[in-house]
Amino acid sequence: QGVAHGTGRVGILTPARSQRRHAHEELDASLPTLTAFSKPLLLQDKGDNGAAALKRVRVLLEAHHADKGTQTVPPEEVEAIREIEELLLLPVSEAQDRVLPKSCYRFLARVLAQWPVATWGPALDLMRLLLLYPGVALHYAGTASSHCTIVVKRCLAKSSVSDEIPKGVKLRGLFMVINMFAHACGVEKMMRPGAAADSIDAALDLINSQDATVRMSAAAILFNISLYLPKVESLEMVQISSGVAHRLESEIDDETGFRLLLALGKLSHSNTSALDLLKSLSLNMHYNVTLEETPAAKNRRAMVGELKILLDC
């Protein structure tokens, strides 16, 4: 028995509902790889707690003020960096209620506004780590402007100057966007229509990169977005489905291919619109699938089989 929604009465679980539930459970049982990936892909390793990035930021900050003719770094910026350093030394689990002073966010905003994009790398490293902390994620989710949109549009999106941005900076931009999914508030911010569409466009372009890490990171963003898209027809669903299907028709490494297939699996599971679209695209999942015994190759082959199950439903 269960509560019938909207009636306040206890309702009987009808045979039809029971059969649908059983069919759903049977389908999930045949999709072990897809169902195992139920959370976003994140970069949670804190490494040296941002020590190298902080050191580089201090050097760049002094150079920035020297170029402006300022002899010393303003005390507010010195203190902001110290506060960031202090927070990053704490394990995320021990800093659930920790709040960064607003001066820290003003400092990071000035970096994005005033520094050349080619020098953003260390600051993006810090932002990637900071987004693991609930208080920081909540702050950025509640702001009217979006630091993520700035990074996507100026660092990751294809433009007339995108080829001039160092690969390392683009990678750190991708890492930061990935960690926007670390907390529910960040997911909500990322899934707003405009933000999601811009991130999808940038990621679909970067899965064509010659660098494997760039490709894999861009594919991780597409998977994360697919994980949270509503199970209805939408522009974002069409963007990802058509873009990924096209990319899978050419040679691609196994890990990136696996992540892209995961994205299609999440989009099409319980979503007839996505399934119909994929069927109409004549998706060629078998192109370049190898028989290697690496974990990535095995996962990719498993997802080919599971996506075929979904498409045959």
Side-chain angles (χ1 to χ4, degrees):
Q1 289 186 329
V3 176
H5 293 288
T7 67
R9 295 181 285 107
V10 174
I12 303 298
L13 189 62
T14 64
R17 287 177 60 193
S18 178
Q19 288 169 3
R20 286 196 298 271
R21 178 184 294 181
H22 181 67
H24 186 80
E25 290 172 352
E26 274 195 343
L27 177 61
D28 282 354
S30 67
L31 307 170
T33 308
L34 183 63
T35 53
F37 285 83
S38 59
K39 296 180 179 179
L41 301 174
L42 301 172
L43 290 153
Q44 296 178 304
D45 183 8
K46 292 179 62 197
D48 64 356
N49 295 317
L54 284 160
K55 182 178 180 180
R56 184 62 181 151
V57 162
R58 287 185 171 106
V59 171
L60 289 169
L61 186 60
E62 289 181 1
H64 172 72
H65 284 286
D67 289 343
K68 290 175 60 179
T70 308
Q71 294 301 313
T72 58
V73 177
E76 181 188 80
E77 295 185 347
V78 173
E79 180 62 15
I81 295 174
R82 189 194 66 77
E83 289 279 1
I84 291 171
E85 184 174 36
E86 190 175 290
L87 176 62
L88 292 178
L89 288 172
L90 295 174
V92 173
S93 60
E94 296 178 14
Q96 297 295 304
D97 300 321
R98 184 69 177 265
V99 178
L100 272 180
K102 291 183 178 179
S103 59
C104 298
Y105 299 110
R106 287 196 296 268
F107 167 66
L108 292 170
R110 279 197 295 272
V111 169
L112 298 183
Q114 299 177 6
W115 292 18
V117 176
T119 65
W120 281 6
L124 294 175
D125 264 339
L126 296 180
M127 295 173 80
R128 187 266 297 182
L129 293 170
L130 288 170
L131 284 167
L132 296 173
Y133 293 83
V136 175
L138 191 61
H139 169 85
Y140 278 123
T143 56
S145 59
S146 174
H147 69 294
C148 188
T149 299
I150 293 170
V151 171
V152 169
K153 289 187 174 181
R154 295 191 59 197
C155 177
L156 302 180
K158 190 172 182 61
S159 69
S160 59
V161 298
S162 57
D163 290 340
E164 301 171 15
I165 300 171
K167 180 188 71 178
V169 175
K170 285 189 178 182
L171 262 179
R172 285 160 177 80
L174 286 165
F175 295 164
M176 192 218 74
V177 175
I178 287 171
N179 276 8
M180 280 292 293
F181 292 87
H183 299 281
C185 57
V187 171
E188 184 180 351
K189 183 90 170 180
M190 281 297 299
M191 296 308 294
R192 292 174 184 173
D198 287 340
S199 297
I200 292 167
D201 281 342
L204 286 174
D205 177 57
L206 291 172
I207 56 175
N208 296 299
S209 170
Q210 294 183 347
D211 183 84
T213 309
V214 170
R215 291 196 302 270
M216 288 187 285
S217 301
I221 291 173
L222 293 172
F223 168 75
N224 288 353
I225 293 174
S226 299
L227 191 61
Y228 294 104
L229 276 177
K231 300 295 185 179
V232 295
E233 186 173 355
S234 66
L235 174 61
E236 292 81 8
M237 180 272 285
V238 174
Q239 273 184 289
I240 296 176
S241 298
S242 55
V244 168
H246 176 72
R247 182 64 182 92
L248 288 172
E249 291 178 353
S250 56
E251 187 172 344
I252 196 167
D253 64 279
D254 284 323
E255 183 59 36
T256 303
F258 168 57
R259 295 181 183 191
L260 294 179
L261 288 167
L262 270 179
L264 292 183
K266 290 299 179 184
L267 282 179
S268 55
H269 189 277
S270 303
N271 187 343
T272 55
S273 295
L275 280 171
D276 289 344
L277 176 60
L278 288 180
K279 290 174 182 178
S280 72
L281 292 171
S282 301
L283 178 63
N284 181 10
M285 297 177 289
H286 297 277
Y287 186 89
N288 194 44
V289 173
T290 69
L291 296 177
E292 293 182 17
E293 291 302 309
T294 63
K298 290 179 179 178
N299 283 335
R300 185 178 181 185
R301 290 196 298 273
M303 271 310 304
V304 167
E306 292 180 23
L307 199 52
K308 187 176 185 304
I309 290 171
L310 284 170
L311 291 170
D312 288 343
C313 285

